[in-house]
Amino acid sequence: MNTIFLIVGCSGSGKTTVVKQLEQKYGLKSIPSYTTRPKRHDNETGHIFVTDEEFDNLTGFIGYTEFAGNRYGAVLDQVETNDLYIIDPKGVEFFHNIYKGHKKIRIIYLHTPAETAFNRMKSRAIADGWSEIKAGIEADKRTRNDETEFENFTRQLTDKDLIVINDKDTSLNEMVDYIYQYIISCEGE
């Protein structure tokens, strides 16, 4: 593809689920970010889990951010061989300032109401074996963090190429098909 699609959304917005569906249904490839964060569960995908020392040895970052004391990033070679990149608002700014490759950059923003995102995060944590209280506290912490992290990003609607509402009533299949149609239309430009 001639374009890298940056997938942005708060915690619990469905970024990972949408990207997995785009990969499975349409054969798109996503960048697995390097991260120093520990795995949430043994079979977790979407990241390359590394130690702090391994992360320090990476070069050529085109995406970098920190969250909850953990570092996340991607390198230039990954952009050239992938189509999608899950990234946060700080990462988008970093990417725009650093990336000098040949691909066009498009931002797809998954907007999710805070209550829906909170419930998704809490349910996911409970499914991973957390107590309901611990899951609620962690979901609340992430929701509050995202309010701050996304405050300016959500106000600047002109910075996004596609905004998709992903609330509790949204059909995953319809949303994935809609995003894919947008991706195909961009490739035809």
Side-chain angles (χ1 to χ4, degrees), residues 17-60:
T17 301
V18 166
V19 166
K20 283 181 182 177
Q21 287 294 309
L22 287 166
E23 289 174 321
Q24 291 171 0
K25 193 170 183 178
Y26 295 109
L28 299 177
K29 296 185 336 186
S30 67
I31 295 173
S33 293
Y34 290 95
T35 184
T36 59
R37 174 179 67 72
K39 288 183 176 185
R40 291 188 182 116
H41 52 82
D42 289 339
N43 298 324
E44 183 176 359
T45 60
H47 294 292
I48 300 169
F49 296 92
V50 297
T51 65
D52 281 312
E53 183 180 330
E54 290 169 323
F55 197 94
D56 290 342
N57 289 325
L58 296 171
T59 59

Side-chain angles (χ1 to χ4, degrees), residues 72-83:
Y72 297 79
V75 296
L76 180 61
D77 291 345
Q78 292 177 293
V79 174
E80 302 309 321
T81 58
N82 289 283
D83 312 305

Side-chain angles (χ1 to χ4, degrees), residues 4 60-63 75-77 79-80 92-105:
I4 184 72
F61 281 105
I62 49 79
V75 296
L76 180 61
D77 291 345
V79 174
E80 302 309 321
V92 169
E93 184 177 343
F94 187 91
F95 192 97
H96 273 291
N97 290 333
I98 298 296
Y99 181 67
K100 304 298 182 218
H102 72 278
K103 288 190 171 189
K104 292 180 269 180
I105 302 168

Side-chain angles (χ1 to χ4, degrees), residues 26 46 52 60 67 77 86 103 105 107 116 128 163 166 170 177 185:
Y26 295 109
D52 281 312
F67 177 73
D77 291 345
I86 296 174
K103 288 190 171 189
I105 302 168
I107 299 172
T116 301
D128 286 344
I163 299 172
N166 185 6
T170 303
D177 291 345
S185 74

